[in-house]
């Protein structure tokens, strides 16, 4: 292929570029639809307006500083959830009777509106960012526990048999065969967990003033500043992309296949 | 069994108590109630915010014996049911598409993750525009939210599938529908069910929150009412009832899961690789 | 033969038209009540139960909203026609940005329904004792936020302004000793006042600067109003009658309020004190010049409203004074 043809074809050979191209295309369509009056601009912001709002928003409300605050709290909740969730998931796998007893309940507990109980958490844990981390911990740890257990249970028997044929010890069996096999499932749990940790943190920041991106989203929405609302939500999306990319990197490193 | 027989014949007593999942749950519930009562009576917390277990139980009873409750339950149930079915169908369909096309998956996944993390508040105006503020909007919000855990779990399920299975299907020249029903779905049963469990939970919260914001009826509406008038025991009672219903639904899914796995041998059932294990 | 055919056909058509006319006699209006338990908001519910809506041929579909921006979004997107009790600053902000919303009446002048309290054994006796202590409000940008800022200014005190979230969250935090004061809006927590568990140390009326300002309004979708001015007028007329019944209906009105929200009759009786009839009449809109200044100060609008904007902001579809 000639160099030019290769360059043109480039977006379609790289998933990242392909994804970005589609997003830009959709944004362009949205911009044009709003300009043409097909979509009311009081409901959805013009993408260009939203981007333009970032600068003033940063000056006004320290968008970048709050980005790091939200990111930090989410990170703390996720790190805690992984540190506690993975071992618990293992426990529920190792003692299958516990797993059978609790799996349904964990999934059901996931549906409890924790966010509503924020006054209770404030009282028990105190008026600090720790409360947000604690509240985000819960919806984050549950998928991790469930998926870790599921992942360990799903180790293909073939792999186990290979391990046995090598006379691996129980310990080696776990670290060399089962855990690597469970990695995709565990990381799925982490991805879901990150999503809801972030959603919870932003939701509480929205409800009560602890700073963070949720506070900015709430203020913009309240002021009916639609471009500002979308601009601040874009930064929430950045937090999620940051986590997502990191998890992918770590997963690839743990399991190169 | 053999062990018990041996120890019995050697004069020692066979263990008379064995743990079962239900007994574990019972013990857990008793421990949780004890902990709650202790905290409630300790005086460490504002008494109104941690009412005694008895008052919560009485509130549960009051709720379950009131006609109005069932009206609210029906509203929420309908919204959750429709949202769950639509969200799961779309999520699983998307997962199968993404799982079998690595390029699409690599391109789309970051954005799916991003939208999943977005505060759903920005979708509200769009949902209102299309669905109004009635029960349809709650169904839509439920479906939107339920889509995400489903798609993630199910995609992982497709990826963890044994590729041999797909090749076997292709070598038999199966149609798309046959591939779906005979190869993909049986292989993905367990990841799909995990996705459904998490998805149902998210649909429930999402519908409750939508009802908190706008409603004429529903469990979320009632919950908001109790919350705003600081009637905490009935509020907890509602949460307990919602938890119990969600646990019931999950139990149903466990039954489904066991049925779907029954064609595996006993040893494989535990190591649920999902589908035809190549042994 | 022909003659009779034509007569019966005409009769049939007339009958069908008549039937269609009767079926269309009720105009559907979607109303959002954005303040649960608000005494003056009984205007809507009494208009339903006492048949005022029906009398004016309105089929009212009432939904409960949780306030603020979401309710306004429902109006903006045309998912609802009228909303009672939306914050005036939000409406001004939305209108200035081109949203199709218009104010069709006042919902509340002055923040007298908001009160601040302390646990009974607290040493704090009045708002003036709050130097360096927490004076709470719900969230940044809310009306309570505005009220506490004005209280601090008007009373010359320097409290710590702390965001605590909703009334239930406030109660939990103040009764647990995490903050010195709590905020509430009547009738919530008023039963605690009667039982002596909490003491009111001040109400929103202490923010003298806001005393006559319209704080909450009745807002409608301006396109809907333009296309259905008569329906809007009839709906407002029905709600006005509902409002009058709420305040002049005596025991019956108080009982329907208490019953609807499961309140003690003592609470119901105290309601007109916190929310006087004078504060909730549909007109006039109070002190709008000051309100416009507040909108600018609290950044709801970026620059002062033009005369054109001020005119389109308010639409008088019904004025009880002008009723013959």
């Amino acid at each position: 292929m000639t160099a030019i043809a290769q360059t043109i074809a480039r977006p379609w050979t790289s998933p990242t570029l392909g994804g970005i191209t589609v997003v830009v295309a959709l944004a362009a369509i949205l911009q044009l639809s709003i300009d043409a009056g097909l979509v009311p601009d009081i409901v959805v912001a013009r993408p260009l307006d939203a981007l333009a709002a970032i600068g003033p928003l940063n000056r006004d409300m320290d968008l970048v500083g709050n980005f790091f605050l939200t990111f930090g709290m989410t990170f703390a909740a996720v790190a805690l959830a992984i540190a506690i969730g993975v071992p618990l998931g293992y426990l529920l796998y190792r003692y299958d009777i516990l797993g059978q007893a609790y799996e349904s309940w964990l999934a059901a507990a996931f549906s409890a509106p924790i966010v509503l109980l924020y006054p209770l958490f404030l009282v028990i844990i105190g008026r600090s960012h720790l409360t947000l981390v604690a509240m985000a911990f819960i919806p984050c740890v549950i998928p991790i526990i469930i998926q870790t257990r599921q992942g360990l249970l799903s180790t293909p028997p073939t792999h186990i048999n290979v391990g046995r044929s090598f006379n691996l010890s129980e310990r080696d069996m776990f670290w060399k065969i089962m855990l690597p096999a469970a990695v995709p499932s565990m990381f799925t749990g982490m991805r879901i967990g990150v999503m809801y940790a972030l959603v919870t943190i932003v939701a509480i920041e929205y409800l009560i003033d602890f700073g963070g991106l949720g506070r900015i989203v709430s203020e913009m929405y309240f002021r009916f500043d639609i471009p500002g609302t979308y601009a601040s939500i874009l930064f929430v999306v950045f937090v999620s992309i940051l986590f997502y990319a990191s998890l992918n990197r770590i997963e690839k490193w743990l399991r190169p296949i | 069994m053999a062990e018990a027989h041996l120890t019995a014949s050697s004069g020692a007593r066979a263990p008379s108590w064995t743990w079962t999942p239900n007994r574990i749950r019972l013990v857990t519930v008793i421990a949780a109630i004890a902990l709650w009562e202790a905290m409630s009576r300790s005086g460490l917390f504002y008494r109104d915010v941690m009412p005694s277990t008895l008052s919560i139980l009485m509130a549960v009873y009051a709720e379950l014996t009131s006609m109005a409750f069932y009206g609210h339950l029906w509203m929420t149930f309908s919204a959750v049911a429709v949202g769950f079915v639509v969200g799961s169908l779309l999520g699983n369909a998307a997962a199968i598409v993404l799982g079998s096309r690595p390029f699409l998956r690599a391109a789309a996944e970051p954005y799916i993750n991003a939208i999943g993390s977005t505060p759903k508040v920005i979708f509200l105006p769009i949902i209102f525009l299309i669905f109004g503020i009635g029960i349809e909007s709650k169904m839509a919000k439920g479906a939107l939210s339920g889509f995400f855990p489903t798609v993630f779990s199910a995609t992982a399920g497709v990826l963890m599938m044994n590729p041999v299975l797909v090749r076997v299907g292709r070598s038999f020249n199966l149609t798309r529908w046959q591939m779906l029903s005979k190869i993909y779905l049986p292989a993905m049963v367990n990841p799909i069910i995990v996705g459904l469990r998490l998805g149902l939970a998210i649909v429930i919260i999402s519908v409750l929150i939508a009802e908190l914001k706008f409603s004429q009826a529903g469990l979320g509406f009632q919950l908001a009412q109790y919350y705003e008038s600081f009637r905490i025991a009935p509020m907890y009672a509602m949460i307990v009832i919602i938890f119990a219903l969600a646990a019931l639904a999950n139990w149903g899914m466990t039954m489904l899961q066991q049925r779907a796995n029954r064609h595996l041998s006993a040893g494989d059932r535990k190591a649920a690789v999902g589908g035809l294990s190549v042994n | 033969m022909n003659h009779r055919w034509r007569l019966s056909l005409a009769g049939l058509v007339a009958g069908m038209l008549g039937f269609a006319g009767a079926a269309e006699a009720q105009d559907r209006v979607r109303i959002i009540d954005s303040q649960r338990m608000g005494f003056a908001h009984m205007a809507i519910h009494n208009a339903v139960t006492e048949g005022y809506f029906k009398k004016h041929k309105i089929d009212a579909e009432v939904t409960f909203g949780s306030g603020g921006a979401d309710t306004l979004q429902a109006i903006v997107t045309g998912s609802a026609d009228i909303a009672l009790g939306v914050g005036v600053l939000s409406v001004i902000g939305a209108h200035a940005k081109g949203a199709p919303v218009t104010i069709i009446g006042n919902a509340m002048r002055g923040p007298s329904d908001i009160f601040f309290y302390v646990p009974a054994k607290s040493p704090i006796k009045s708002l003036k004792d709050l130097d360096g202590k927490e004076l709470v409000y719900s969230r940044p940008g809310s009306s309570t936020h505005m009220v506490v800022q004005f209280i601090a200014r008007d009373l010359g005190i320097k409290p710590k302004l702390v965001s605590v979230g909703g009334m239930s969250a406030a109660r939990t935090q103040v009764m647990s000793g995490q903050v010195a004061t709590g905020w509430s809006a009547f009738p919530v927590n008023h039963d605690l006042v009667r039982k002596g568990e909490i003491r009111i140390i001040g109400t929103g009326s202490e923010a003298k600067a806001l005393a006559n300002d319209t704080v909450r309004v009745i807002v409608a979708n301006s396109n809907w109003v333009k296309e259905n001015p008569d329906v809007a007028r009839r709906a407002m007329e029905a709600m006005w009658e509902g409002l009058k019944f709420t305040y002049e209906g005596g025991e019956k009105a108080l009982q329907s309020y208490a019953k609807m929200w499961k309140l003690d009759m003592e609470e119901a009786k105290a309601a007109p004190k916190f929310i006087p009839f004078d504060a909730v009449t549909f007109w006039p809109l109070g002190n709008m010049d000051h309100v416009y200044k507040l909108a600018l100060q609290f950044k709801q609008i970026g620059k002062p409203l033009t005369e054109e904007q001020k005119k389109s902001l308010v639409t008088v579809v019904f004025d009880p004074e002008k009723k013959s």
Side-chain angles (χ1 to χ4, degrees):
Chain A
M1 264 182 141
T2 64
I4 298 174
Q6 272 180 336
T7 320
I8 297 175
R10 195 81 191 288
W12 308 112
T13 54
S14 155
T16 329
L17 279 181
I20 295 179
T21 314
V22 171
V23 168
V24 171
L26 286 175
I29 295 177
L30 185 62
Q31 175 91 14
L32 293 171
S33 315
I34 300 178
D35 280 336
L38 290 170
V39 180
D41 71 347
I42 199 67
V43 165
V44 180
R46 286 187 181 77
L48 286 180
D49 288 346
L51 289 175
I54 294 180
L57 206 53
N58 191 30
R59 276 195 301 279
D60 227 357
M61 306 199 68
D62 193 15
L63 198 55
V64 174
N66 281 300
F67 167 84
F68 284 112
L69 184 58
T70 301
F71 177 81
M73 285 194 280
T74 312
F75 183 82
V78 172
L80 207 62
I82 293 177
I84 295 182
V86 172
L88 278 183
Y90 169 69
L91 217 69
L92 291 188
Y93 155 78
R94 177 82 173 73
Y95 300 101
D96 188 53
I97 200 110
L98 286 180
Q100 286 181 44
Y102 292 136
E103 188 176 28
S104 298
W105 278 14
L106 280 174
F110 202 42
S111 68
I114 308 271
V115 171
L116 206 62
L117 298 174
Y118 76 88
L120 188 63
F121 278 82
L122 278 175
V123 158
I124 296 180
I125 302 178
R127 283 188 59 89
S128 71
H129 293 111
L130 206 58
T131 299
L132 276 80
V133 173
M135 290 189 65
F137 166 79
I138 296 174
C140 189
V141 81
I142 293 177
I144 293 179
I145 296 176
I146 295 182
Q147 292 273 170
T148 300
R149 173 171 182 259
Q150 187 63 38
L152 290 168
L153 283 176
S154 309
T155 314
T158 321
H159 296 193
I160 299 184
N161 291 339
V162 167
R164 291 220 182 99
S165 72
F166 275 94
N167 274 334
L168 288 182
S169 68
E170 218 35 75
R171 230 184 109 103
D172 278 340
M173 192 66 135
F174 178 76
W175 287 103
K176 290 191 171 30
I177 305 274
M178 311 211 68
L179 199 56
V183 158
S185 201
M186 275 165 53
F187 274 75
T188 303
M190 290 180 204
R191 277 186 272 269
I192 297 178
V194 162
M195 220 172 16
Y196 294 109
L198 185 55
V199 161
T200 305
I201 297 246
V202 172
I204 310 220
E205 287 173 347
Y206 189 91
L207 286 173
I208 183 175
D209 188 7
F210 274 111
L213 291 174
R215 158 101 162 77
I216 302 183
V217 173
S218 137
E219 182 117 10
M220 292 297 106
Y221 191 62
F222 229 60
R223 287 194 207 163
F224 239 82
D225 183 348
I226 308 295
T229 311
Y230 274 78
S232 44
I233 286 183
L234 193 62
F235 272 65
V236 174
V237 168
F238 286 157
V239 175
S240 130
I241 289 184
L242 207 59
F243 272 106
Y244 187 78
S246 316
L247 281 178
N248 275 4
R249 269 279 149 77
I250 300 176
E251 188 181 4
K252 273 232 163 56
W253 174 72
L254 278 180
R255 194 181 141 117
I257 311 162
Chain B
M1 284 307 174
E3 225 175 86
H5 177 73
L6 277 172
T7 48
S9 64
S10 62
R13 261 199 303 169
S16 53
W17 171 270
T18 48
W19 286 107
T20 67
N22 279 332
R23 286 184 187 160
I24 294 179
R25 289 192 190 128
L26 189 62
V27 169
T28 312
V29 168
I30 294 176
I33 292 180
L35 185 64
W36 179 270
E37 273 305 300
M39 279 164 68
S40 165
R41 292 183 195 204
S42 69
L44 283 174
F45 305 107
Y46 175 38
R47 159 211 87 220
D48 285 353
V49 131
M50 295 197 86
S52 69
T53 319
L54 185 63
S55 57
I56 298 180
L57 283 176
M58 277 168 38
V60 170
Y61 177 74
E63 206 58 53
L64 293 177
T65 50
S66 79
M67 274 315 294
F69 170 74
Y70 294 97
H72 293 309
L73 181 62
W74 175 248
M75 273 289 263
T76 306
F77 176 78
S78 329
V80 168
V82 173
F84 177 59
V85 167
V86 173
S88 315
L89 279 177
L90 289 176
N92 286 310
I96 293 181
V97 166
L98 290 176
S100 45
R101 288 174 171 73
F103 183 85
L104 260 184
R105 187 179 70 250
E109 231 175 18
Y111 302 107
I112 297 183
N113 194 297
I115 299 178
S117 322
T118 309
K120 303 294 180 295
V121 72
I122 52 158
F123 298 115
L124 272 184
I126 303 169
I127 292 181
F128 289 155
L129 258 183
I130 306 177
F131 297 99
I133 56 177
I135 195 174
E136 298 84 4
S137 67
K138 295 163 188 62
M139 293 174 179
K141 183 157 183 286
L144 178 64
S145 298
F147 173 80
F148 295 96
T150 323
V151 76
F152 275 106
S153 281
T155 307
V158 175
L159 293 176
M160 292 194 297
M161 250 177 72
N162 194 330
V164 171
L165 301 175
V166 179
R167 274 180 252 142
V168 166
R170 296 228 175 95
S171 71
F172 277 95
N173 273 335
L174 295 183
T175 65
R176 200 163 284 184
W177 174 250
Q178 283 170 323
M179 280 295 279
L180 196 66
S181 59
K182 291 191 193 320
I183 306 283
Y184 280 105
L185 286 181
M188 287 165 58
V189 162
N190 292 296
I192 286 184
I193 296 214
V194 172
L196 289 182
R197 288 189 205 274
L198 295 174
L200 177 66
I202 295 297
V203 173
I204 291 177
I205 295 199
S206 168
V207 167
L208 286 179
I209 293 183
E211 286 178 345
L212 281 170
K213 286 193 196 266
F214 278 113
S215 52
Q216 301 158 318
L219 296 180
F221 173 80
Q222 195 59 285
L223 201 59
Q225 191 44 38
Y226 290 141
Y227 180 71
E228 278 182 44
S229 42
F230 211 82
R231 292 173 60 200
I232 300 297
M235 186 189 89
Y236 283 132
M238 278 302 234
I239 294 181
V240 165
I241 294 175
I242 292 170
F243 174 85
L245 291 172
L248 193 67
N250 267 284
W251 174 80
M253 285 191 244
T254 308
M255 294 292 115
L256 191 70
Q257 195 172 12
Q258 283 174 358
R259 234 192 91 130
N261 283 335
R262 78 184 184 286
H263 62 275
L264 299 173
S265 68
D268 293 338
R269 215 165 283 160
K270 188 181 159 183
V273 75
L276 321 159
S277 54
V278 183
N279 227 346
Chain C
M1 278 302 173
N2 257 351
H3 185 66
R4 259 192 265 154
W5 257 109
R6 265 188 245 134
L7 268 183
S8 16
L9 192 61
L12 189 65
V13 171
M16 277 168 61
L17 279 176
F19 180 79
E24 272 163 30
Q26 297 259 317
D27 291 298
R28 193 174 76 128
V29 177
R30 296 162 302 174
I31 304 178
I32 299 182
D33 176 358
S34 69
Q35 199 188 7
R36 247 176 258 261
M37 298 190 277
F39 184 59
H41 288 228
M42 289 304 290
I44 303 176
H45 309 293
N46 286 329
V48 172
T49 49
E50 299 294 311
Y52 301 135
F53 277 128
K54 205 151 165 213
K55 183 176 101 183
H56 292 277
K57 299 197 177 49
I58 298 284
D59 171 22
E61 204 179 282
V62 183
T63 310
F64 291 96
S66 64
D70 291 322
T71 305
L72 203 48
Q73 281 287 359
I75 297 285
V76 167
T77 55
S79 314
D81 305 311
I82 299 179
L84 186 64
V86 180
V88 67
L89 294 185
S90 307
V91 177
I92 292 177
H95 183 83
K97 297 187 176 75
V101 295
T102 183
I103 298 176
I104 59 174
N106 165 69
M108 180 77 177
R109 272 183 293 274
S112 59
D113 59 337
I114 295 178
F115 63 89
F116 301 93
Y117 60 92
V118 293
K121 28 185 180 46
S122 161
I124 299 173
K125 295 276 179 287
S126 78
L127 287 173
K128 295 206 177 72
D129 298 332
L130 288 177
D131 266 315
K133 300 215 178 58
E134 296 95 8
L135 179 58
V136 302
Y137 62 98
S138 63
R139 21 185 300 213
S142 63
S143 54
T144 45
H145 192 195
M146 209 170 50
V147 167
V148 296
Q149 288 179 58
F150 275 101
I151 285 182
R153 202 191 66 175
D154 287 346
L155 292 181
I157 50 175
K158 286 193 170 45
K160 270 198 282 187
L161 296 182
V162 174
S163 154
V164 292
M167 294 181 271
S168 294
R171 173 168 158 177
T172 306
Q173 289 169 72
V174 69
M175 299 306 268
S176 309
Q178 277 191 330
V179 291
T181 55
W183 78 271
S184 192
F186 185 89
V188 180
N189 295 328
H190 191 256
D191 55 334
L192 291 184
V193 177
R194 275 189 308 110
K195 291 188 199 146
E197 290 181 34
I198 62 176
R199 252 183 305 120
I200 298 182
I201 56 170
T203 68
S205 313
E206 310 248 4
K208 297 266 182 299
L210 298 174
N212 291 313
D213 288 10
T214 282
V215 291
R216 291 192 295 274
V217 292
I218 309 175
V219 64
N221 182 293
S222 45
N223 298 328
W224 175 80
V225 169
K226 241 179 250 143
E227 288 158 23
N228 304 281
D230 190 58
V231 179
R233 184 186 61 77
R234 284 186 277 129
M236 286 293 276
E237 198 166 341
M239 288 202 292
W240 175 250
E241 288 170 24
L243 189 64
K244 293 241 293 240
F245 176 78
T246 306
Y247 282 88
E248 294 163 12
E251 272 298 299
K252 189 168 174 214
L254 293 179
Q255 264 171 10
S256 82
Y257 177 52
K259 184 158 164 253
M260 182 162 189
W261 299 111
K262 299 197 174 59
L263 300 169
D264 208 88
M265 265 309 270
E266 293 301 315
E267 253 67 78
K269 289 200 189 122
K273 194 178 69 168
F274 280 88
I275 304 154
F277 183 65
D278 285 330
V280 298
T281 51
F282 287 175
W283 303 105
L285 291 178
N287 261 355
M288 285 310 277
D289 285 328
H290 187 228
V291 174
Y292 296 142
K293 281 207 195 81
L294 289 175
L296 199 56
Q297 181 184 346
F298 287 94
K299 305 214 179 101
Q300 287 284 357
I301 47 180
K303 44 191 199 311
L305 292 180
T306 64
E307 285 309 311
E308 184 67 52
Q309 281 176 315
K310 286 184 193 170
K311 239 180 36 183
S312 59
L313 177 65
V314 181
T315 311
V316 184
V317 301
F318 170 73
D319 187 344
E321 309 272 294
K322 301 213 172 87
K323 209 173 109 158
S324 50

